[in-house]
Amino acid sequence: MGRRRRVRPSTAEIVVIGNEVLNGEVLDTNSNWLAKQLYFLGLDLRRVTAVRDDLEEIAGAIREALRRKAEWIITTGGLGPTHDDMTLEAVALATNRKTVLNPEALEMLRERYARLYEMGVVKESELTPSRLKMAMLPRGAKALRNRAGSAPGSLLRYKGSRIISLPGVPRELKDIFLNEVVPLIEAEARRVVRYVAGLFVKGVPESTMAPVLRELTAERPKLYIKSHPKGLEEGVSLVEVVVHSEGQDPEEVRKEVESAIGVLEERLRAFQPVELRRVSMEEVLGGER
Amino acid sequence: MGRRRRVRPSTAEIVVIGNEVLNGEVLDTNSNWLAKQLYFLGLDLRRVTAVRDDLEEIAGAIREALRRKAEWIITTGGLGPTHDDMTLEAVALATNRKTVLNPEALEMLRERYARLYEMGVVKESELTPSRLKMAMLPRGAKALRNRAGSAPGSLLRYKGSRIISLPGVPRELKDIFLNEVVPLIEAEARRVVRYVAGLFVKGVPESTMAPVLRELTAERPKLYIKSHPKGLEEGVSLVEVVVHSEGQDPEEVRKEVESAIGVLEERLRAFQPVELRRVSMEEVLGGER
């Protein structure tokens, strides 16, 4: 097979907005969920920044992402009806414009509150100032339909970047991302195919296997190989080694990973591990720390 | 009681290091744990930034935090023995110095590997190059003892900031933070006392209660009041309203919060909620999104 031109995936950044994250009130699972999505969509997530509900701080974080020329900038949180929901104002500030009443967003909110009124969730279907606030989008932005809640998302194209603003409520964030953002990424982003799998190693300390991993990395520079220490169990070290590959051909990247794991297995056996077990892609992606 | 001079708490930032976080492999719970600690220690956590295992990216994130004059900069991850553990090199780069073999760290590693050898975890007690790597700290840094793992932490004072580097393994991070960092914060940081409690509201949509919260915020500007929408349950909206206060007197801040929650309860009752339930500090701090 001939050598293909290497695709550089589009870059992405996430900006997480909310005092509740920085006060430790809320464990942010949204950016982990988005990171997994972006990874398998084949983009390159470069940075996640969490800031407070402060207009200047949010606008600052967005400006920095723009300055780094992140092609996809996804903000989470701060789209709701209350006075400290100020993400869209900050997007406007960072891109030198005002927020304006967005007709599509207005229509979405009208439909939403009419339905909530019918369901008896709200006592009036009228768009009060708090509700109208959610239809104020940066000038030039496109409203993204929220099928799981009230606040529409927003997409603003600015220079080479797209600034996508999603609500902080996970169900709503996922709804808009899957229905509105994924098709956009599939249509417009430079993407790679990825594969990852791992090896669970019991009884070989990370410092002992470090030279083996360094050597294999030197032999197969296309792969990304990393060890994650998981502590000790009854005085025996636990380490997960993961191997990533990316390219254009799904079968090829899978084989590259599987072959490297085979070699690793062989070389680590020399250290007489207590246990050596292959770890699937799903298992690799289920961790926390 | 006379009006006290308001204390501005010391500012803090967290820099999370690791491809595994940005690839979505690992849900970062460390920064949530640290955020809670910093909140109750009475510091002001301004930003959390997650970056890849890339020398320039890590050094860049640290430089930016220094430029923002964050007084406490805590990095997590990237202290281990492998070639892509490069946090301390990045700290050195960001502060214009080299890493050097740190005698305290060396002694800690000697003791550690002697013990692991006795326990049979490692097959040789010798400090191999991979192990010695963990004793290379930025010139001028102090090693922080790790009682739960191998890699020592690092404390570097630089201009008005302290750069504290902790391992990514949660057990090790917590051990160093609680035993080495907390006493330092207690001795050196400007701190406030905080209290937070909440109200769980069923049956009053966030957009309906927004004016009530805005009004109470205007009446009691010292408090921080925020609503967290929790979605719908059988067509009825669920919202958690939290009220924060900070100051110097624990009794006073507690009373301010409790009194505001009492007023909120009264005012929200006018909207005939299905349920109105007080939420304790512990419950407020247990969320995720």
Side-chain angles (χ1 to χ4, degrees):
Chain A
M1 193 181 299
R3 195 171 271 272
R4 297 228 186 78
R5 232 177 88 232
R6 190 85 173 269
V7 172
R8 264 183 86 90
S10 301
T11 55
E13 293 201 21
I14 297 172
V15 179
V16 177
I17 293 142
N19 289 2
E20 64 275 24
V21 170
L22 294 165
N23 291 341
E25 268 173 69
V26 157
L27 172 65
D28 168 40
T29 63
N30 285 333
S31 48
N32 176 251
W33 186 86
L34 285 171
K36 270 193 230 292
Q37 295 290 321
L38 295 171
Y39 185 74
F40 284 108
L41 282 163
L43 272 65
D44 188 11
L45 178 61
R46 304 297 306 167
R47 193 185 273 235
V48 177
T49 307
V51 292
R52 293 195 167 267
D53 298 303
D54 175 295
L55 194 61
E56 283 303 331
E57 297 258 0
I58 306 167
I62 294 169
R63 265 191 221 108
E64 291 159 29
L66 288 169
R67 211 172 302 135
R68 286 185 292 265
K69 301 194 189 305
E71 291 158 275
W72 298 79
I73 300 171
I74 301 178
T75 73
T76 70
L79 296 192
T82 69
H83 56 284
D84 45 14
D85 287 309
M86 51 184 88
T87 298
L88 295 178
E89 239 186 288
V91 170
L93 183 63
T95 55
N96 312 305
R97 68 195 64 210
K98 303 261 180 232
T99 58
V100 293
L101 192 69
N102 181 292
E104 302 159 306
L106 184 64
E107 192 45 39
M108 290 172 190
L109 286 162
R110 262 197 230 291
E111 284 171 25
R112 168 83 180 168
Y113 281 101
R115 204 162 52 246
L116 289 178
Y117 178 71
E118 274 168 34
M119 289 165 64
V121 176
V122 297
K123 278 150 191 138
E124 36 164 0
S125 65
E126 196 203 334
L127 291 182
T128 60
S130 296
R131 290 173 188 168
L132 272 177
K133 181 183 166 300
M134 294 186 279
M136 299 295 289
L137 266 53
R139 184 185 296 280
K142 182 182 178 310
L144 303 176
R145 184 175 297 276
N146 180 348
R147 288 163 184 81
S150 300
S154 159
L155 160 68
L156 180 67
R157 291 169 192 277
Y158 183 72
K159 297 182 177 170
S161 302
R162 295 155 198 83
I163 306 173
I164 293 164
S165 301
L166 304 176
V169 179
R171 218 165 51 97
E172 303 182 22
L173 172 135
K174 289 175 187 177
D175 175 89
I176 303 181
F177 188 83
L178 295 174
N179 290 303
E180 305 287 328
V181 182
V182 168
L184 196 71
I185 289 177
E186 287 174 341
E188 300 187 6
R190 293 185 314 285
R191 305 194 292 135
V192 292
V193 170
R194 292 199 170 106
Y195 193 83
V196 54
L199 205 54
F200 176 81
V201 188
K202 192 167 167 178
V204 184
E206 198 188 19
S207 62
T208 303
M209 68 173 74
V212 176
L213 305 189
R214 196 168 44 239
E215 188 183 51
L216 190 61
T217 297
E219 291 167 19
R220 308 195 177 196
K222 230 203 100 189
L223 300 182
Y224 170 61
I225 302 167
K226 189 166 178 183
S227 54
H228 300 302
K230 305 280 179 186
L232 295 178
E233 198 181 275
E234 294 159 9
V236 175
S237 22
L238 310 178
V239 180
E240 188 182 85
V241 182
V242 293
V243 179
H244 295 252
S245 182
E246 59 184 51
Q248 292 303 309
D249 179 13
E251 192 47 26
E252 197 178 314
V253 297
R254 195 188 61 74
K255 277 189 190 154
E256 284 164 348
V257 169
E258 296 298 350
S259 141
I261 288 179
V263 172
L264 259 179
E265 237 172 342
E266 216 182 281
R267 295 189 186 166
L268 290 176
R269 235 187 273 287
F271 297 93
Q272 296 168 311
V274 177
E275 192 188 336
L276 209 53
R277 181 171 55 78
R278 293 222 179 188
V279 173
S280 69
M281 180 142 80
E282 291 66 36
E283 215 180 321
V284 166
L285 289 167
E288 60 179 60
R289 76 166 208 203
Chain B
M1 192 180 300
R3 195 173 271 274
R4 298 229 185 76
R5 228 178 88 231
R6 189 84 174 270
V7 172
R8 263 185 84 91
S10 301
T11 55
E13 294 200 22
I14 297 173
V15 179
V16 177
I17 293 142
N19 289 3
E20 64 275 24
V21 170
L22 293 166
N23 291 342
E25 267 173 71
V26 156
L27 171 66
D28 167 41
T29 63
N30 285 333
S31 47
N32 176 252
W33 185 86
L34 286 171
K36 270 194 231 289
Q37 296 289 323
L38 294 171
Y39 185 75
F40 284 108
L41 283 163
L43 271 66
D44 188 10
L45 177 61
R46 305 297 306 167
R47 193 183 272 235
V48 177
T49 307
V51 291
R52 293 195 167 267
D53 299 302
D54 175 295
L55 194 62
E56 284 303 331
E57 297 259 0
I58 307 167
I62 293 168
R63 266 191 220 109
E64 292 159 30
L66 288 169
R67 214 173 297 135
R68 287 186 291 266
K69 300 195 188 305
E71 291 160 274
W72 298 79
I73 300 170
I74 301 178
T75 74
T76 69
L79 297 192
T82 67
H83 56 284
D84 45 14
D85 288 308
M86 51 184 87
T87 298
L88 295 178
E89 237 185 292
V91 170
L93 183 63
T95 54
N96 312 307
R97 68 195 63 210
K98 302 262 181 231
T99 58
V100 293
L101 192 70
N102 180 292
E104 300 158 308
L106 184 64
E107 190 47 37
M108 289 173 191
L109 285 163
R110 262 198 229 292
E111 283 171 23
R112 167 83 180 168
Y113 281 101
R115 206 161 50 247
L116 289 177
Y117 178 71
E118 274 169 32
M119 288 165 64
V121 176
V122 297
K123 280 158 189 130
E124 36 164 359
S125 65
E126 196 202 334
L127 292 183
T128 60
S130 297
R131 291 171 187 169
L132 271 178
K133 180 184 165 303
M134 295 186 278
M136 297 296 289
L137 266 53
R139 184 185 295 279
K142 181 179 176 316
L144 303 176
R145 184 176 296 276
N146 181 349
R147 289 163 183 80
S150 300
S154 160
L155 160 68
L156 179 68
R157 294 170 190 276
Y158 182 72
K159 297 181 177 173
S161 302
R162 294 156 198 83
I163 306 173
I164 293 165
S165 301
L166 303 177
V169 179
R171 219 165 50 96
E172 302 182 23
L173 172 136
K174 290 175 186 177
D175 174 89
I176 302 181
F177 188 84
L178 294 174
N179 291 305
E180 305 288 327
V181 182
V182 168
L184 198 70
I185 289 178
E186 287 174 341
E188 301 186 7
R190 294 185 314 284
R191 305 193 293 135
V192 291
V193 170
R194 291 199 171 106
Y195 193 83
V196 55
L199 205 53
F200 176 80
V201 188
K202 193 167 166 177
V204 185
E206 198 188 17
S207 62
T208 303
M209 70 172 72
V212 177
L213 305 188
R214 196 168 43 239
E215 189 183 51
L216 191 62
T217 298
E219 290 167 21
R220 308 193 177 199
K222 231 202 99 187
L223 299 183
Y224 169 62
I225 302 168
K226 189 165 180 186
S227 54
H228 300 303
K230 303 280 180 186
L232 295 178
E233 198 180 275
E234 294 158 12
V236 176
S237 21
L238 311 178
V239 180
E240 187 182 86
V241 183
V242 293
V243 179
H244 295 252
S245 182
E246 57 182 51
Q248 291 303 310
D249 179 12
E251 191 48 25
E252 198 179 313
V253 297
R254 195 187 61 75
K255 277 189 191 153
E256 285 164 347
V257 169
E258 297 298 350
S259 142
I261 287 179
V263 172
L264 259 179
E265 236 172 342
E266 215 181 281
R267 294 186 187 168
L268 290 178
R269 235 186 273 287
F271 298 94
Q272 297 169 310
V274 177
E275 191 189 335
L276 209 55
R277 181 171 55 79
R278 293 221 179 187
V279 172
S280 70
M281 179 141 82
E282 291 65 35
E283 217 180 319
V284 166
L285 290 167
E288 60 178 61
R289 78 167 208 206

